[in-house]
Amino acid sequence: MILAVCLTLATLTTTVFAKDAETDSASLDQQLQSLKKDVLELMLRGYGTHISAERLDIALETVRRHRKSIYRKLDVSSQTDLFSLFLNAMSCMGEAAGKDPLSIYMSPR
């Protein structure tokens, strides 16, 4: 079960962290991706914006920006939708057999 959660989280992070062509500096891109990953992890742990900002020692608006970016890239509109997507993607773990469960869940059936 823990492996399934880790694989699904890895899939979500891969989707969210697809390299943006707009970023000029690879180093800056890596820092932003790392921060976005931290924000996503706290979101999946159930933390809100204020607590996430405190834990990451960043501005509240920075957390909000990252959350909006995550929502946009995953086509969800709330933390509840994110949880739902995460849990639904986990239900495809058997079908995935080592592949991307999120892509299987999102594919037309």
Side-chain angles (χ1 to χ4, degrees):
M1 181 66 169
I2 292 174
L3 178 61
V5 171
C6 291
L7 183 56
T8 303
L9 178 57
T11 300
L12 285 174
T13 57
T14 300
T15 303
V16 171
F17 309 129
K19 184 168 173 33
D20 293 330
E22 301 168 6
T23 305
D24 293 70
S25 168
S27 176
L28 176 61
D29 187 46
Q30 289 172 347
Q31 290 174 349
L32 290 173
Q33 286 183 4
S34 177
L35 184 55
K36 196 176 291 181
K37 180 180 178 183
D38 293 341
V39 170
L40 176 61
E41 182 180 337
L42 291 173
M43 289 170 65
L44 289 172
R45 290 177 182 255
Y47 292 105
T49 307
H50 292 279
I51 300 297
S52 295
E54 286 178 18
R55 286 186 167 245
L56 297 173
D57 195 29
I58 57 176
L60 191 60
E61 191 55 38
T62 302
V63 174
R64 286 185 179 133
R65 230 176 308 119
H66 284 301
R67 288 173 69 108
K68 285 179 184 179
S69 174
I70 291 166
Y71 290 164
R72 184 181 64 254
K73 289 182 180 187
L74 293 175
D75 195 27
V76 296
S77 59
S78 68
Q79 193 167 355
T80 303
D81 291 345
L82 179 66
F83 288 140
S84 178
L85 178 63
F86 180 74
L87 293 173
N88 288 331
M90 282 185 56
S91 70
C92 295
M93 288 302 297
E95 274 183 69
K99 297 179 186 170
D100 178 355
L102 184 61
S103 67
I104 291 172
Y105 173 72
M106 300 295 275
S107 68
R109 296 184 181 224

